[in-house]
Amino acid sequence: DIQMTQSPSTLSASVGGRVTITCRASQSISSWLAWYQQKPGKAPRLLIYVASSLESGVPSRFSGSGSGTEFTLTISSLQPDDFATYYCHQYLAYPWTFGQGTKVEIK
Amino acid sequence: EVQLLASGGGLVQPGGSLKLSCAASGLTFSSQPVNWVRQAPGKGLEWVSVIGESNNYAFYAESVKGRFTISRDNSKNTLYLQMNNLRVDDTATYYCAIQSWAGIGYWGQGTLVTVSS
């Protein structure tokens, strides 16, 4: 199975600040990586697919980069609506696997 | 608008069975693989199972293999998950999820399964 290691598990940031979340795969997944945002009691929402493509309707302050085994999600200017938990997800091969999540909290 | 309405969750004793359903609308259901993904209370996301567009394949996580069976009825735009021999650690919200080359573009609202005596 492909293991996905996400860091940090929690981060505190201020509104307007820049946030970077890292996801590492245990083997190359090319660009078959997605990022999701999840708020309490809600289903996840797709933000980024194939590592760097922005899903329709997602604000441009979200961006993704990387390929192979190292990936990054960046929020350029954190907004109040962005405080949530973020997950990376490899969909190169079954079993699909997710990172353990990064909770973004208000500083 | 795409809608995925999951149902069938509830409280069941260890060793019991439950069948989840997910009714899809607003998309061509028969043209895409569909997955079940679960989330234990306060925990992260865990992939459970996938079924091909025309029931041509199905894969399972090791944790549910031999106990869960995924199926679909394209004439009813509905996905199912038959869960047998349930364990306490199967307690989770179960999401149906439409697969595309972009990962999971559409998620259902989830249905909560609680396994407890």
Side-chain angles (χ1 to χ4, degrees):
Chain A
D1 298 2
I2 301 173
Q3 306 303 316
M4 305 301 293
T5 303
Q6 203 174 322
S7 61
S9 55
T10 307
L11 71 85
S12 296
S14 302
V15 173
R18 183 181 181 90
V19 166
T20 300
I21 300 169
T22 298
C23 185
R24 179 178 292 116
S26 61
Q27 63 189 75
S28 177
I29 57 170
S30 185
S31 295
W32 297 109
L33 183 103
W35 290 97
Y36 304 92
Q37 176 193 67
Q38 188 179 33
K39 296 182 178 179
K42 300 293 188 182
R45 170 198 181 194
L46 177 65
L47 300 176
I48 301 286
Y49 58 94
V50 290
S52 61
S53 294
L54 193 67
E55 172 70 347
S56 176
V58 174
S60 59
R61 62 181 179 271
F62 291 91
S63 64
S65 65
S67 66
T69 61
E70 298 279 340
F71 302 88
T72 299
L73 173 70
T74 299
I75 310 173
S76 60
S77 178
L78 201 63
Q79 299 302 301
D81 190 48
D82 301 338
F83 293 97
T85 301
Y86 295 83
Y87 294 93
C88 61
H89 163 221
Q90 70 80 16
Y91 55 106
L92 169 69
Y94 292 105
W96 281 358
T97 44
F98 295 85
Q100 77 274 25
T102 295
K103 186 175 183 180
V104 177
E105 298 177 328
I106 301 174
K107 188 172 184 179
Chain B
E1 180 192 5
V2 174
Q3 285 197 324
L4 301 172
L5 296 178
S7 60
L11 175 63
V12 61
Q13 292 188 335
S17 298
L18 215 52
K19 187 172 186 177
L20 307 183
S21 300
C22 176
S25 61
L27 77 166
T28 307
F29 180 74
S30 60
S31 66
Q32 290 157 301
V34 193
N35 295 259
W36 287 101
V37 176
R38 69 184 181 183
Q39 187 171 37
K43 302 298 184 182
L45 301 168
E46 180 189 16
W47 174 80
V48 173
S49 183
V50 61
I51 188 166
E53 299 91 318
S54 54
N55 287 285
N56 48 330
Y57 63 85
F59 301 121
Y60 299 90
E62 280 298 323
S63 57
V64 306
K65 199 174 290 185
R67 301 186 299 121
F68 290 12
T69 302
I70 192 171
S71 61
R72 66 192 294 167
D73 185 338
N74 287 340
S75 68
K76 296 181 179 179
N77 287 350
T78 302
L79 172 73
Y80 303 99
L81 186 68
Q82 176 67 47
M83 304 185 295
N84 298 330
N85 193 19
L86 282 159
R87 308 190 301 220
V88 171
D89 61 359
D90 292 319
T91 294
T93 295
Y94 285 73
Y95 296 101
C96 51
I98 300 293
Q99 178 176 336
S100 73
W101 66 278
I104 301 174
Y106 300 108
W107 297 74
Q109 90 285 9
T111 186
L112 177 63
V113 172
T114 303
V115 185
S116 174
S117 54

